Each structure stands twice: as structure tokens, then as C-alpha cells.
Amino acid sequence: MAAPTRLISRLTLVTGGGSGIGRAVCQRLASEGASVVVADINQESANETLSSLPDDFRGQVHTATVVDVSSKDSVKKLVTNIQTRYFQPPSVCVNTAGITQDDFLLSMEEEQFDRVIQVNLKGSFLVTQAVTQALVACGAPKGSIITVGSIVGKVGNLGQANYAASKAGVQGLTLTAAKELSRFGIRCNCVLPGFITTPMTDKVPEKVISKITTLVPLGRMGEPAEVADACAFLASDDSRYITGASIEVTGGDLLQFIFPADVVFIKG
Ligand code: NAD
């Protein structure tokens, strides 16, 4: 079966596009015909993603650029530069930029809490706001904002009070954005990955990974491309009647599991 081409002539922005899930999202959107702006705090990794993108469709132009999603100035500049370069704002935006700084609640420093909230939650807010302001201002007929949350935002996880709070936060942000922006034709949804093999989970000790996989009904970690599949669906008109939703990409219902006390993400 030929790959779908649902995103021909759509301009898309992917934050955190330099690695892991974000890189897979860039590759999937490009393979469906979209022009992709790869935005990451790390220019080198954004460039690496850029060089991996197919450009088989007429008019398809990809770019790589630096952004710090936690900075309002940086995000504003990003959206302005995109409009200058492409003469339009992105009609698809995938917020994948995210970090972890794990520690137990009893010992977590205020800075660890603040930084994770700033990147994961405030960053998603700043990017969603800047992109949708631009879409509304130019009278764009439709838009799709996708934010990568986490199943941890629903179930919690030992050592991740900051991360779980940030990921629960992006679901609340998305639900509200979906209600406010539907009248402008802009849909807002979340994807909630479970445990996906990326540089982020490379930090998790091997013995913890093997415990996690025994708890996943499908019996394995997920691949970044499997999260990208859900993002491409939400980006496309195939999901035109879906907004304010959260799609779990977890290999099965992790809610029914309580992780044993030794399944902790903290290294060492
Ligand atoms: P990753 O570390 O491989 O990629 C994250 C990317 O975000 C990196 O390229 C990094 O440079 C970029 N980034 C970090 N801070 C940034 C900032 N301030 N501004 C712009 N870019 C920034 O991680 P990943 O596993 O691919 O995670 C992607 C998203 O998926 C994250 O939001 C993460 O929380 C979420 N997620 C991952 C998993 C998993 O198991 N890997 C599970 C659930 C959710």
C-alpha cells in the first residue's frame, strides 16, 4: 500500500524536532508531503533531522532553526521568521520539546521543578499561543495543534513530580485551547506516549526498562515512529471531527498498573 499523502502543501512546525519523537514526527510529516520547520534548542541536532527529511513533492521546502520554547522572545522570533520565509504561519504545530529532571519529591530542588514546568508546560503554552495568534490574524481557514504529553501526566511516576505536573498541565491547556479556538477552525489535541525508546529514556537504567516492558500489555517499549503515526493522523483532515482529545500511545492501558517501588526513572 502506498504511504498516505495527507499533508501536501501544509506548512508544519515541530518543536524538539532534533531528537527522538520530534525527529520521527518531522520525518513522518515530510513523507506525507508537508513542508517542515525543525525547531530545537540544539542547532546541530535540528540540522541532522533536516538532512534526513524527504522532499519528494513539488514546493516542499524544509528548514531547521534554533528555538528555546521556554523563552517568549525566542518563540516570537521563530514564528515571525517562519512567516517571513514562507509568507504564512504554520497550520500544523507539534509541540514535542520536553525535558526531565528526576528526583524524589522529598529532595527535589525548586530549580528542578521550575525548569521542567518552564520547558514542558510554559513552552507548550508560548508556542501554541504564538502560532494560533498568527493563524487567527491572517484568517487561516484551519489549524491543528498537537502537544506531546505523557501517560505519566495521568498516572504519576515515582521521581517525576515535576514532569507529571507539567504533562497533566498540557492536557488542561489543550482542553481549554480546543474550546476557545474551535470557532477559528483550529483543533488542539494531545498525544500521550507511554515508554518510547529515545535519548530521553536512554537515561533510564536497563533493569528498570526490563521491568517496565513486563508491565506493558503489548510487551515492549514503543518506537518514536509509532508516536509520529498518531501525530500525523491528528495533523491531517482524517481527524477533522476530533478536538480536545488525548490519544494514548502506550502499548496498552497502563492505568491498571501500579509500578513497584523500585521502578524509578532516577539514574544510579
Ligand atoms: P528527546 O530528549 O530525545 O528529545 C527532546 C528534544 O527537545 C531534544 O532535541 C531537545 O534538544 C529538545 N529541547 C529540550 N529543551 C528545549 C527547549 N527549551 N526548546 C526547544 N527544544 C528543546 O526526548 P523524546 O523522548 O523524544 O521526548 C519528546 C517528547 O515526548 C517530550 O515532550 C517528552 O516529555 C515526551 N514523552 C517521551 C516519552 C518517552 O518515553 N521517550 C514518553 C512520554 C512522553
Side-chain angles (χ1 to χ4, degrees):
M1 199 175 70
T5 50
R6 298 174 292 190
L7 300 172
I8 287 173
S9 77
R10 299 293 296 273
L11 179 58
T12 66
L13 165 63
V14 182
T15 72
S19 176
I21 292 170
R23 176 171 290 174
V25 170
C26 292
Q27 291 164 342
R28 175 61 192 259
L29 299 184
S31 75
E32 291 219 27
S35 290
V36 179
V37 178
V38 185
D40 203 285
I41 201 163
N42 183 330
Q43 175 82 63
E44 208 178 311
S45 54
N47 288 341
E48 267 175 40
T49 299
L50 177 67
S51 62
S52 76
L53 299 183
D55 55 357
D56 303 333
F57 298 91
R58 199 143 58 96
Q60 200 178 19
V61 179
H62 311 303
T63 48
T65 183
V66 169
V67 70
D68 175 359
V69 296
S70 68
S71 152
K72 185 169 178 163
D73 275 357
S74 179
V75 169
K76 282 259 161 220
K77 255 185 223 143
L78 168 72
V79 174
T80 305
N81 289 344
I82 292 172
Q83 287 182 280
T84 307
R85 169 104 205 243
Y86 290 93
F87 307 107
Q88 58 181 311
S91 64
V92 172
C93 169
V94 190
N95 293 306
T96 76
I99 58 168
T100 53
Q101 288 200 8
D102 297 348
D103 211 334
F104 292 111
L105 178 68
L106 294 179
S107 48
M108 186 175 284
E109 299 289 343
E110 186 180 355
E111 293 72 30
Q112 289 175 291
F113 186 85
D114 285 348
R115 188 62 194 149
V116 168
I117 296 291
Q118 271 164 12
V119 175
N120 297 4
L121 178 54
K122 187 179 164 191
S124 299
F125 160 71
L126 290 173
V127 174
T128 299
Q129 186 187 50
V131 168
T132 56
Q133 280 174 341
L135 283 170
V136 170
C138 78
K142 64 182 174 185
S144 175
I145 312 294
I146 299 140
T147 300
V148 177
S150 170
I151 197 66
V152 165
K154 274 178 91 170
V155 301
N157 198 23
L158 297 169
Q160 293 197 308
N162 51 0
Y163 184 79
S166 74
K167 294 301 186 176
V170 298
Q171 276 191 272
L173 168 69
T174 298
L175 285 166
T176 302
K179 287 200 161 97
E180 291 186 7
L181 298 172
S182 56
R183 69 198 175 98
F184 300 107
I186 300 171
R187 298 182 295 107
C188 303
N189 294 289
C190 280
V191 172
L192 310 183
F195 299 100
I196 312 296
T197 306
T198 71
M200 185 180 271
T201 47
D202 284 350
K203 289 186 252 171
V204 180
E206 189 52 46
K207 69 173 194 305
V208 174
I209 295 284
S210 58
K211 277 214 172 113
I212 287 171
T213 48
T214 64
L215 298 174
V216 175
L218 288 177
R220 62 173 176 83
M221 299 275 287
E223 294 301 323
E226 292 168 326
V227 181
D229 289 347
C231 293
F233 166 69
L234 289 173
S236 79
D237 290 345
D238 283 354
S239 59
R240 62 194 168 277
Y241 198 55
I242 299 177
T243 193
S246 291
I247 298 184
E248 296 178 12
V249 184
T250 58
D253 184 5
L254 298 178
L255 284 174
Q256 62 187 292
F257 294 105
I258 297 167
F259 292 143
D262 54 345
V263 179
V264 183
F265 268 42
I266 299 166
K267 209 172 187 171

